[in-house]
Amino acid sequence: MKLFVLLPAYNEEDSLPPLLDALEGSCRRLGLEHEIVIVDDGSTDRTAAVATAASGRLPIRLIQHQRNSGLGAAMLTGLRHVTRAGDDGDVLVAMDADN
């Protein structure tokens, strides 16, 4: 079983680092194989750069929208990724990137 954590994000450069650290710590303690899916929904700050920097040490998949399309569109993009990348028995958790 693999855990996918879907984080739709819009201008979350400050919120992402502590959230990513907490998610990673929890998944490691529980021994869960996981992927953190960040859908950057057209952020105008450094959200994508923060996610990219963290992907060097965490299992992050960054998907970017060129412009802000809203929460529903970001969720749909993330759900499409997980349905393609996941297998039967995998689990998806979605939450706001602002923790």
Side-chain angles (χ1 to χ4, degrees):
M1 181 208 61
K2 183 174 190 175
L3 173 67
F4 289 89
V5 180
L6 172 56
L7 301 175
Y10 179 72
N11 290 342
E12 299 295 350
E13 72 176 296
D14 293 331
S15 300
L16 271 179
L19 175 59
L20 294 175
D21 288 343
L23 287 172
E24 184 65 13
S26 294
C27 288
R28 284 184 193 251
R29 275 190 305 280
L30 296 170
L32 295 174
E33 179 185 358
H34 62 287
E35 178 179 298
I36 301 168
V37 180
I38 299 172
V39 180
D40 178 15
D41 190 33
S43 294
T44 57
D45 67 356
R46 298 185 65 251
T47 295
V50 168
T52 299
S55 70
R57 63 182 178 81
L58 304 174
I60 291 175
R61 168 67 64 151
L62 173 63
I63 304 168
Q64 292 182 268
H65 288 173
Q66 293 304 310
R67 60 184 166 85
N68 182 263
S69 299
L71 177 61
M75 292 291 292
L76 185 57
T77 296
L79 290 170
R80 285 182 177 146
H81 167 73
V82 171
T83 57
R84 286 190 302 268
D87 292 319
D88 289 345
D90 288 345
V91 174
L92 168 66
V93 173
M95 60 183 288
D96 285 339
D98 64 2
N99 203 11

